[in-house]
Amino acid sequence: MINEILELRSGQVAYISSLMAGFSLSIAVQIIRGKDQRLVATVNYLLFIVTTLLFLIALYVDVSISLRLVGIEHFSDDALVQIGKIRNFSTSAATSAFLLFVLSIGVLGWLKSNKTGVISTVMVVITLSTIIVARNMITGLDF
């Protein structure tokens, strides 16, 4: 459980979440500026908005708990369990946002053409499959 504390203090989830939220929102704004009225454009816009919001949730939770823990050196077992549950919430939001971000990239191809849409969808399926396999391998590590 102490790994939760070390990860919080590194600030990696907060940093990545803030960076990715900015990317997602920028892409959503560009879709709106393009004035494309097709359903695929609206779906893509909404996917990027949800992605942004999920990244912002992860950012808020990680930064808030990090600030709450500043200066504390020793943690009771109960506190570590509570921190673990809170971190699980923010990590789930960040992971969901990341997967939605990749999915949204695949949908972007459909804004260009059917051929580009098929190619981007195939690339996203390969990417998501690779991410899932890697995540399962990492989760399955036994120390």
Side-chain angles (χ1 to χ4, degrees):
M1 285 291 198
I2 200 70
N3 286 339
E4 299 288 341
I5 306 302
L6 295 173
E7 187 180 310
L8 269 171
R9 292 197 172 148
S10 73
Q12 290 299 311
V13 172
Y15 173 73
I16 291 169
S17 292
S18 63
L19 186 68
M20 295 301 291
F23 284 147
S24 298
L25 191 56
S26 295
I27 294 168
V29 167
Q30 290 303 318
I31 292 171
I32 288 292
R33 287 184 57 200
K35 294 183 173 83
D36 191 335
Q37 298 298 316
R38 292 179 295 164
L39 179 61
V40 71
T42 302
V43 168
N44 204 221
Y45 169 76
L46 292 173
L47 284 171
F48 278 114
I49 291 299
V50 171
T51 299
T52 300
L53 296 173
L54 285 170
F55 275 126
L56 290 176
I57 289 168
L59 173 64
Y60 173 78
V61 171
D62 263 33
V63 169
S64 293
I65 197 162
S66 293
L67 291 174
R68 178 89 164 104
L69 300 178
V70 168
I72 299 174
E73 294 297 323
H74 302 285
F75 300 91
S76 68
D77 289 340
D78 288 340
L80 289 174
V81 169
Q82 287 179 329
I83 292 167
K85 288 179 182 176
I86 294 167
R87 288 301 322 287
N88 191 29
F89 180 74
S90 69
T91 301
S92 296
T95 301
S96 299
F98 180 72
L99 294 175
L100 273 178
F101 183 80
V102 173
L103 178 67
S104 299
I105 291 171
V107 175
L108 274 176
W110 292 95
L111 293 176
K112 176 73 175 158
S113 69
N114 287 345
K115 183 178 177 181
T116 305
V118 169
I119 293 168
S120 66
T121 300
V122 168
M123 292 187 321
V124 162
V125 167
I126 291 169
T127 301
L128 288 175
S129 299
T130 304
I131 289 169
I132 290 168
V133 168
R135 186 173 190 273
N136 288 339
M137 290 171 68
I138 292 166
T139 304
L141 286 176
D142 188 25
F143 294 107

